[in-house]
Amino acid sequence: MTKQSQCYKTPKIKSNRLSKKEYAKYKRYLTDTFSICQDEDCHQQADDLHHTKFGCFGAVKDDRTLIALCRNHHAEAHKNKGLGQKKYLQIANKNWRDHE
């Protein structure tokens, strides 16, 4: 079974997308608050915001689970999605709680 066919058999999950206005506001909060990569071992400038929780092919992203990462850690998170989610989800959830 291919990865693509596995995704199509996954039950539909309710999307946790924010409105465009709220998403822009949250992204602005993160970029203003976290100028340094949120990976605990990194002190590089944060270049990207990364969704730590996502569905197949990025179809069901949870906009509340963003984290600020440097370009290297962002690429690493995409290479090993399971590890990236496990490693960063707790930080992303704290970001959202602090934002509220």
Side-chain angles (χ1 to χ4, degrees), residues 45-61:
Q45 176 181 335
D47 300 307
D48 303 314
L49 295 176
H50 173 68
H51 283 93
T52 59
K53 198 170 183 183
F54 47 86
C56 289
F57 306 109
V60 184
K61 293 180 180 171

Side-chain angles (χ1 to χ4, degrees), residues 9-26:
K9 292 183 180 189
T10 303
K12 296 209 180 226
I13 301 167
K14 183 182 175 234
S15 176
N16 288 311
R17 303 305 297 258
L18 300 173
S19 70
K20 285 183 181 182
K21 183 178 179 181
E22 184 62 29
Y23 186 54
K25 180 180 172 186
Y26 185 47

Side-chain angles (χ1 to χ4, degrees), residues 19 21 29 39 42 47 52 65-66 78 81-82 84 87 90:
S19 70
K21 183 178 179 181
Y29 162 78
D39 186 278
C42 186
D47 300 307
T52 59
T65 61
L66 287 172
H78 278 271
K81 292 181 187 281
K87 185 175 181 180
Q90 194 171 30

